[in-house]
Amino acid sequence: MKILRTRAASVSRQGLCTALLVASLTAAVGVSPPHNTAGADDSSPRPSDPQGKPHGVPNLALPDLAPKNPGKGKPGGGTGGDAPDGNTGIPKTALAAYQNAARLAATQLPGCHIPWELIAGIGRVESVHAGGYGLRSDGSTEKPIRGPRLTGGQFAEIRDTDKGRWDGDTEYDRAVGPTQFIPSTWEMSGADGNGDGIKDPNNIFDAALGTAHYLCANNRDLNSSADLDKAVLSYNQSREYVTAVLAWMRTYQSGNVGTVPDDTPTTPHNPSGDTPGRSPNTPSRGTTPGGGSTTTPPSNKPSPGKQTPTPQKPTPKPKPKPDPQKPDPKPEPKPDPTKPGPSPVSRLERIGAAEWEATAGETFTEPAKVRALDKAGKPVAGTRVRFEIIGKTGARFLGNTTKVTAPTGEDGRAAAPRVLAGDKAGQFTLRITVEGKDLAPVDINATVKPAPAHADKIVRVGNQRLEASPNSAFEEEVVIQASNGGKAMPGIGMTATVAPADGEGTVKTGPYFKDENGKPVREVSLDPTGKNGQVTLPKLFADDQSGAYTIRIVSTDGQVLLVHLTVLAPKPTQPSTTPKT
């Protein structure tokens, strides 16, 4: 009875902590507490979108209510406190992938407002940020992260949809990668997060951006607690799953969990639920979703008042006789010292252009690529290649870093993520070297051109009415001001078109400009705005057609301004007062 009371108290405390955490999430996010049914409108999985069906074993362990590492190493900076470990911190590359995905989503899906901490919450629950799988700085992992075969029963039944391309299984699908995408869902939501031209769910940069695309589907605005709830529930139809993801999201938003090196030792979370010596898809006895044991292991200590029995010498087991049907396995062949091993890398060969050019704020069109070769010109696999940006233009690899390392494949090739041109115009060098080798570097010389002038507003200077009599000139000049954030913007190009009163379409009669030959034209390209951000339209004339018109002015940024003008009706002819004779 004493053991039962202790266990009940433990369960009660755990339930109280969970209830407190859920209550805090409810207050912060507006999400309802967990209940037994999913019931979330458009978040229910559709036949073409099975992501929300049971596809693996998520890690539902909740973060501590009291943070253990409030300072050192946290994503937002700070000092003091103990450094986080591999189970509580976010690996450096994973953090870069989450933040990069949120930054790209802000441009691609501006109405979604997805925070990187939500993407990180998904990554934490699905794979513990790929920890223990050999996460590399380019976003790949040394070992694949795969869920169980989806053959039905404990999990959904999903027949193969990708011919084994991502999950290595040509009969049934498996969820794959750091955020555990089902291949058919990846086909719809997959994204290229590192700019290498490939949408790979096994790469954390791509997986993170794909997760953002998936959560933002159906025009969701994640500033809305209802849309946030639906988004997470669409990933896994479990209230416990929603609770865990949002708990980690809020923990990351509080800044209480820090970053750790990619190679920080940690026990990998296995989303398939398999353990050595156990058949796949068989639930473990006495384990919680988070991996903790719920049973007490047998004690080796003797009970009080009982004598310890004398240990008996074990009876040796007879040596099994060889089975002719099962011959002994052949020993692994030892390396032959007379035969040379793989040749070391002798040089790097650039693949692609040696000169790059992009406009400030844009992404360079091709990633940096090289091939590692030995003295005979043959490719060398497994070479660690370092890519480094040298310069002061603010250029960065996707992931907000200036240095990345990538291994060469079987063909000797290595590639870096694409490069974002900085905000400053100028030049920089992308230097490529072999780690630990004093070999001649390969340099790519890049130029960042100034971004074109941009205006977020164009207005007419003055408010005088523009009127003219038929077959005469308009006396008032039309001056247009271009600005950005209230600051005058020079160099802005515009076109001016005479249009009907509603500003739509064009007219063949009515007011007009004159071309260089003095002939009437009703559309002109204006000179770029001057230093004061202003440009004056050419002189405007009226023909014999009276009525209301507009001048439709469009800037190269797509800003539109309508300037209204009127051609007055002709004055009536006064009757003659001379008496008839």
Side-chain angles (χ1 to χ4, degrees):
M1 292 298 292
K2 182 178 180 181
I3 294 175
L4 289 176
R5 284 196 300 271
T6 303
R7 178 169 175 76
S10 174
V11 172
S12 176
R13 285 193 300 269
Q14 183 179 3
L16 177 60
C17 290
T18 302
L20 289 172
L21 179 58
V22 170
S24 68
L25 287 173
T26 304
V29 188
V31 177
S32 304
H35 51 79
N36 293 330
T37 58
D41 302 336
D42 64 348
S43 63
S44 299
R46 302 179 297 276
S48 60
D49 178 15
Q51 189 70 29
K53 297 179 181 180
H55 57 264
V57 181
N59 188 317
L60 299 181
L62 298 175
D64 290 339
L65 289 176
K68 294 180 179 179
N69 307 293
K72 184 178 180 180
K74 66 183 181 181
T79 58
D82 297 329
D85 59 25
N87 293 316
T88 59
I90 302 178
K92 181 180 178 181
T93 295
L95 176 62
Y98 300 145
Q99 293 177 335
N100 177 67
R103 185 165 49 250
L104 293 176
T107 301
Q108 300 169 4
L109 305 162
C112 180
H113 306 110
I114 186 168
W116 71 261
E117 292 91 348
L118 174 59
I119 306 171
I122 296 288
R124 175 59 172 76
V125 171
E126 292 290 354
S127 70
V128 192
H129 311 304
Y133 286 90
L135 183 62
R136 304 185 180 106
S137 61
D138 65 352
S140 63
T141 56
E142 294 178 4
K143 295 177 287 186
I145 308 173
R146 292 175 181 168
R149 298 186 81 206
L150 299 177
T151 59
Q154 180 185 1
F155 305 107
E157 180 180 357
I158 304 176
R159 295 280 179 174
D160 175 63
T161 59
D162 66 337
K163 298 182 180 179
R165 178 186 182 189
W166 301 122
D167 57 10
D169 193 323
T170 58
E171 187 177 2
Y172 290 93
D173 270 349
R174 294 171 178 254
V176 295
T179 57
Q180 287 292 280
F181 268 101
I182 294 174
S184 58
T185 304
W186 182 254
E187 185 66 26
M188 295 184 295
S189 300
D192 179 13
N194 60 2
D196 64 357
I198 301 173
K199 298 177 181 179
D200 183 357
N202 297 295
N203 185 289
I204 198 166
F205 284 97
D206 294 357
L209 184 57
T211 298
H213 284 190
Y214 183 84
L215 295 173
C216 290
N218 299 322
N219 296 317
R220 294 189 183 109
D221 180 356
L222 301 187
N223 280 342
S224 160
S225 59
D227 278 1
L228 177 63
D229 186 52
K230 291 176 184 178
V232 180
L233 203 55
S234 73
Y235 217 96
N236 189 308
Q237 292 285 297
S238 161
R239 276 292 167 187
E240 289 75 13
Y241 183 89
V242 175
T243 299
V245 168
L246 296 183
W248 284 104
M249 179 189 77
R250 290 305 179 198
T251 299
Y252 298 143
Q253 287 177 330
S254 72
N256 287 331
V257 176
T259 57
V260 296
D262 293 339
D263 58 357
T264 299
T266 183
T267 303
H269 170 68
N270 189 346
S272 70
D274 300 340
T275 56
R278 186 168 60 82
S279 300
N281 297 350
T282 303
S284 300
R285 293 187 60 190
T287 59
T288 64
S293 174
T294 61
T295 60
T296 304
S299 174
N300 293 325
K301 295 182 180 180
S303 301
K306 293 185 180 182
Q307 294 183 351
T308 304
T310 303
Q312 300 294 323
K313 190 175 182 179
T315 304
K317 294 182 180 180
K319 188 175 182 180
K321 295 181 180 180
D323 187 348
Q325 301 297 326
K326 297 181 179 180
D328 293 336
K330 294 182 180 180
E332 291 290 332
K334 296 182 178 180
D336 187 348
T338 63
K339 295 182 178 180
S343 300
V345 59
S346 175
R347 62 187 176 90
L348 291 177
E349 178 183 77
R350 181 177 50 250
I351 301 174
E355 303 285 340
W356 284 3
E357 190 175 89
T359 301
E362 294 182 349
T363 303
F364 286 91
T365 56
E366 62 176 318
K369 297 179 182 179
V370 291
R371 183 187 291 109
L373 304 173
D374 62 13
K375 290 182 178 180
K378 296 181 179 179
V380 180
T383 300
R384 302 292 293 177
V385 178
R386 183 183 183 87
F387 300 82
E388 181 177 4
I389 295 173
I390 303 171
K392 297 182 179 180
T393 64
R396 293 288 187 273
F397 291 107
L398 289 176
N400 196 30
T401 180
T402 59
K403 300 176 184 178
V404 296
T405 303
T408 57
E410 293 297 326
D411 58 358
R413 296 189 178 199
R418 287 189 181 177
V419 176
L420 290 169
D423 295 331
K424 299 179 181 178
Q427 295 182 327
F428 68 88
T429 299
L430 200 165
R431 180 154 295 168
I432 310 170
T433 57
V434 175
E435 285 193 342
K437 293 282 186 179
D438 187 18
L439 300 178
V442 170
D443 286 348
I444 297 176
N445 299 315
T447 300
V448 180
K449 299 185 298 183
H454 171 70
D456 59 11
K457 188 176 184 180
I458 56 175
V459 296
R460 180 189 169 203
V461 178
N463 58 1
Q464 297 91 340
R465 298 181 64 177
L466 298 175
E467 295 179 342
S469 299
N471 299 311
S472 65
F474 287 82
E475 295 183 1
E476 296 289 342
E477 288 186 332
V478 179
V479 180
I480 306 300
Q481 173 79 55
S483 61
N484 190 324
K487 181 181 178 181
M489 289 302 300
I492 303 297
M494 304 181 201
T495 58
T497 305
V498 179
D502 60 3
E504 299 293 332
T506 58
V507 295
K508 294 183 178 180
T509 60
Y512 61 90
F513 305 104
K514 290 183 179 180
D515 65 11
E516 56 187 8
N517 297 318
K519 294 183 178 180
V521 292
R522 292 181 171 84
E523 181 172 303
V524 293
S525 294
L526 307 180
D527 292 332
T529 54
K531 292 182 179 181
N532 60 356
Q534 296 182 0
V535 61
T536 301
L537 270 63
K539 196 165 186 62
L540 194 63
F541 300 87
D543 62 8
D544 58 0
Q545 300 295 314
S546 60
Y549 300 89
T550 60
I551 305 175
R552 185 176 64 247
I553 301 170
V554 181
S555 74
T556 51
D557 296 307
Q559 303 297 323
V560 180
L561 172 67
L562 297 181
V563 177
H564 297 277
L565 58 156
T566 304
V567 178
L568 302 172
K571 294 180 180 180
T573 304
Q574 297 293 332
S576 176
T577 58
T578 305
K580 294 182 179 179
T581 58

